């Protein structure tokens, strides 16, 4: 996401209800993630009780990273388009709102779930996604990212090489990567 954003992303200062939690609650498939008892963890930590948040499936994606990717993307688009209209969000509503920026491509470097989340969010808003991955990322992860509609760019080297490649691409064409 650092390719799309050049400044910190924060909710608006005024009390508009346009905060990350308000946005996430409106997304299709949003559910409150439950707290699950974790007695083994509590025992290891030397406390009486322990609970963990069940975050392995967020917004029908096996990773909590979609929460950050969706908020960061929305916040960046909001800076250009203004807040998304109130009411339940559907994919059609998100695409209609983001239509003026439909030629935008989201770039991300990843070795797994983050890229898939960015690609999923791009699809929700009707945008394209180009995801840079290091060459050690295996077939199942590659296919998972591609299944979200992303263009996948495999980069020789470690994760940092994928980041560098994404940043270089961004620098060459800021308006449409």
């Amino acid at each position: 996401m650092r390719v799309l954003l050049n400044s910190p992303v924060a909710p608006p200062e005024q009390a508009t209800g346009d905060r990350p939690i308000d946005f996430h609650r409106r997304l299709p498939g949003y559910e409150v993630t439950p707290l699950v008892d974790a007695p083994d963890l509590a025992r290891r930590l030397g406390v009486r009780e322990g609970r963990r948040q069940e975050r392995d499936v967020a917004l029908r994606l096996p990773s909590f990273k979609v929460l950050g990717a969706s908020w960061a993307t929305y916040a960046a688009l909001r800076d250009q388009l203004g807040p998304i209209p109130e009411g339940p969000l559907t994919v059609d509503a998100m695409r209609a709102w983001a239509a003026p920026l439909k030629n935008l491509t989201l770039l991300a470097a990843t070795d797994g779930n983050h890229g898939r989340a960015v690609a999923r969010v791009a699809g929700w808003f009707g945008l394209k996604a180009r995801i840079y991955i290091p060459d050690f990322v295996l077939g199942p992860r590659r296919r998972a990212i591609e299944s979200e509609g992303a263009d996948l760019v495999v980069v020789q080297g470690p994760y940092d090489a994928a980041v560098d490649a994404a940043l270089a691409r961004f620098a060459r064409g800021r308006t449409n990567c």
Side-chain angles (χ1 to χ4, degrees):
M1 288 315 299
R2 115 178 126 162
V3 171
L4 176 64
L5 305 173
N6 291 324
S7 60
V9 174
E13 292 182 23
Q14 65 273 21
T16 62
D18 195 20
R19 304 172 302 159
I21 188 63
D22 300 322
F23 173 74
H24 290 138
R25 286 178 177 155
R26 295 173 60 200
L27 288 172
Y30 175 83
E31 296 176 18
V32 174
T33 52
L35 290 176
V36 178
D37 287 330
D40 293 338
L41 178 62
R43 195 169 22 271
R44 284 192 302 235
L45 294 174
V47 296
R48 187 180 67 205
E49 292 182 351
R51 291 184 184 82
R52 63 178 176 80
Q53 195 169 23
E54 189 66 49
R55 283 281 196 193
D56 55 349
V57 177
L59 296 166
R60 300 186 185 129
L61 195 65
S63 169
F64 67 90
K65 295 189 180 216
V66 71
L67 297 172
S70 62
W71 173 254
T73 301
Y74 167 66
L77 296 175
R78 181 191 62 204
D79 288 347
Q80 301 292 314
L81 301 171
I84 199 165
E86 292 295 321
L89 291 178
T90 63
V91 170
D92 288 341
M94 289 187 285
R95 286 181 179 171
W97 174 75
L101 300 176
K102 69 182 177 187
N103 291 326
L104 184 68
T105 299
L106 301 184
L107 297 178
T110 189
D111 58 6
N113 291 331
H114 173 70
R116 186 175 181 192
V118 169
R120 168 80 53 98
V121 171
W124 287 345
F125 286 109
L127 307 174
K128 295 177 279 275
R130 181 168 293 128
I131 309 300
Y132 290 76
I133 63 169
D135 58 355
F136 66 79
V137 173
L138 299 177
R141 282 193 176 182
R142 290 180 185 197
R143 287 189 293 278
I145 295 167
E146 289 174 317
S147 77
E148 301 294 341
D151 293 330
L152 203 60
V153 179
V154 179
V155 177
Q156 296 297 312
Y159 171 76
D160 289 343
V163 171
D164 291 344
L167 289 172
R169 181 64 185 106
F170 175 69
R172 285 192 308 270
R174 293 186 138 217
T175 59
N176 188 10
C177 300

